[in-house]
Amino acid sequence: MRCCVYSMLSGLLLAGSLCGCSYSATLPATGAVQGMNQTAIPVSYQQARNYFIKNTITEPVPRHITSAEEFARYFAMAATMGRTGTPTPIDFTTQDVLVFDAGVVQQQLDIIPLALNRVQNKLVLNLHIRSGAALSYQMHSFLLLIVPKGLPDNVEFNVQK
């Protein structure tokens, strides 16, 4: 009986010592680790409403706009009736604008932002596009997001349909 108790105690001690072991490795500071360091940092944004792309614009709209002058070159205000009818104010001294330009289409498009993250030296915007009814006219569909100033110029879009 006593030998069984000693066997069980020694087995528990052995198992406890094995569980307490840890392994650590030192990774090199260059090369191999670079691919592992892709941390996504969420970026706050506000969706801008009640603007339209001017009908004189034939070239693609820049993805990242940093000044009021550049913004006015591509966009105009589209005030409508009601409490939410005024265009969203943009202060280009502290804010920039990200633009997803879906182009000229003849169907209703809902462009829904899902997440905006900073990954190293670029911004990654995940968005969903929901196609709607066919239209008898053309429209220039886009999404405007107001973001803090000082973010990278490189913008990537991940579109989910």
Side-chain angles (χ1 to χ4, degrees), residues 14-152:
L14 178 63
S17 65
L18 289 175
C19 291
C21 292
S22 65
Y23 174 78
S24 65
T26 305
L27 297 173
T30 60
V33 181
Q34 289 176 349
M36 295 169 33
N37 213 4
Q38 298 275 331
T39 329
I41 301 167
V43 175
S44 64
Y45 63 85
Q46 175 188 6
Q47 191 168 345
R49 300 195 184 276
N50 295 335
Y51 290 95
F52 65 91
I53 295 178
K54 294 178 178 179
N55 62 3
T56 57
I57 301 302
T58 56
E59 72 272 9
V61 177
R63 293 178 174 204
H64 193 170
I65 297 178
T66 59
S67 71
E69 294 79 21
E70 184 180 17
F71 186 80
R73 191 174 321 141
Y74 297 97
F75 294 94
M77 294 182 182
T80 59
M81 299 290 286
R83 288 188 317 220
T84 60
T86 59
T88 308
I90 303 168
D91 178 5
F92 281 99
T93 61
T94 60
Q95 299 170 321
D96 287 345
V97 173
L98 299 182
V99 182
F100 175 76
D101 184 357
V104 177
V105 295
Q106 251 185 302
Q107 72 180 74
Q108 181 67 39
L109 288 183
D110 291 326
I111 305 170
I112 304 157
L114 301 174
L116 177 62
N117 294 302
R118 182 179 186 158
V119 180
Q120 290 186 336
N121 64 343
K122 68 181 173 184
L123 294 173
V124 179
L125 175 61
N126 297 316
L127 51 99
H128 175 71
I129 297 179
R130 185 175 33 212
S131 298
L135 302 172
S136 61
Y137 56 90
Q138 291 183 337
M139 62 185 279
H140 201 145
S141 295
F142 64 94
L143 172 72
L144 290 178
L145 297 182
I146 302 169
V147 297
K149 207 165 240 339
L151 295 172

